[in-house]
Amino acid sequence: MTRLRSAWESLELTNAPAEGPVAFGDDLRPQNLLGAYRRGLYPFPTESVEQRFLNEMLYEPEVATGRVLVLPGSRDPYSVAWCSPDPRPLILVEQVRVQRSLRRQLRNASRWTTTADACFERVVAQCREGRSERWLTDDLVAGLCRLHQLGYAHSVEVWEDGTLVGGTFGVRVGAVFSADSQFTLRSGAGKTAVVDLVRRFAEAGGTAVDVQQDGEHVRLLGARPVPRARYVELLRAPHRGTALSTATLPAGRLAD
């Protein structure tokens, strides 16, 4: 993808809010998406007219002071919030944890295998299935699928006898992988996908997997809060990695 000057290059995160949006703008084209991920942001669109109105009402004062940016050229800016939490929850690849219960399950899951990039669009579709507040809008899905075609976005799949039962996806920026979402159709399958992603990313020379939003479920996998400034440093660091392995592998290996 040709690198053009991005609107994100004018964004200064030093005084940006630690919670909630740091910017608004409705451009979900792949180039703008990639520019945002490279600067440490991720999109949170809404399809709700009420939520758009609420975004404008709540954040208008911070937009007026310049603390929250509205991207130029947006026709419906408050339909997409861009977030960059401070601190940011990261799983360092050498510190990923497999809970005892998941380890037991994996040792007995002889019918489970994992892959990468086998069916990116299906994984994204499953991640938004049945969600009433659907942040994975059609425009965002189109942008992410294009990033996948260009080699920036990736998925990990968990299979049971050839049936897709879990998965995760996200965007790779150098030594960091920003994991956007996951789904589970069998108990433990979503966590298995995340652990498998971390293992594959480590083998490809990655440093950390960003899970975007902190919580007990990601803490159990080894996620720890990192200051936003440090996270941005990791994104900008020179990196020479290899491609993510797409081999079909037994899920049981993750218990070791």
Side-chain angles (χ1 to χ4, degrees), residues 22 33 77 123 147-148 172 198 211 222:
V22 301
L33 279 173
V123 170
L147 283 184
H148 172 63
R172 179 177 183 172
V198 176
V211 291

Side-chain angles (χ1 to χ4, degrees), residues 135-202:
W135 64 270
L136 281 168
T137 60
D138 291 345
D139 286 344
L140 178 54
V141 168
L144 289 167
C145 288
R146 182 59 181 148
L147 283 184
H148 172 63
Q149 293 166 0
L150 293 167
Y152 295 103
H154 303 276
S155 61
V156 165
E157 302 85 22
V158 180
W159 307 86
E160 182 179 277
D161 294 336
T163 299
L164 185 65
V165 296
T168 187
F169 77 91
V171 176
R172 179 177 183 172
V173 178
V176 177
F177 191 100
S178 186
D180 280 314
S181 189
Q182 63 162 285
F183 77 94
T184 298
L185 299 181
R186 296 284 189 277
S187 175
K191 291 179 181 178
T192 298
V194 173
V195 174
D196 188 79
L197 166 64
V198 176
R199 293 282 181 88
R200 289 178 191 260
F201 193 46

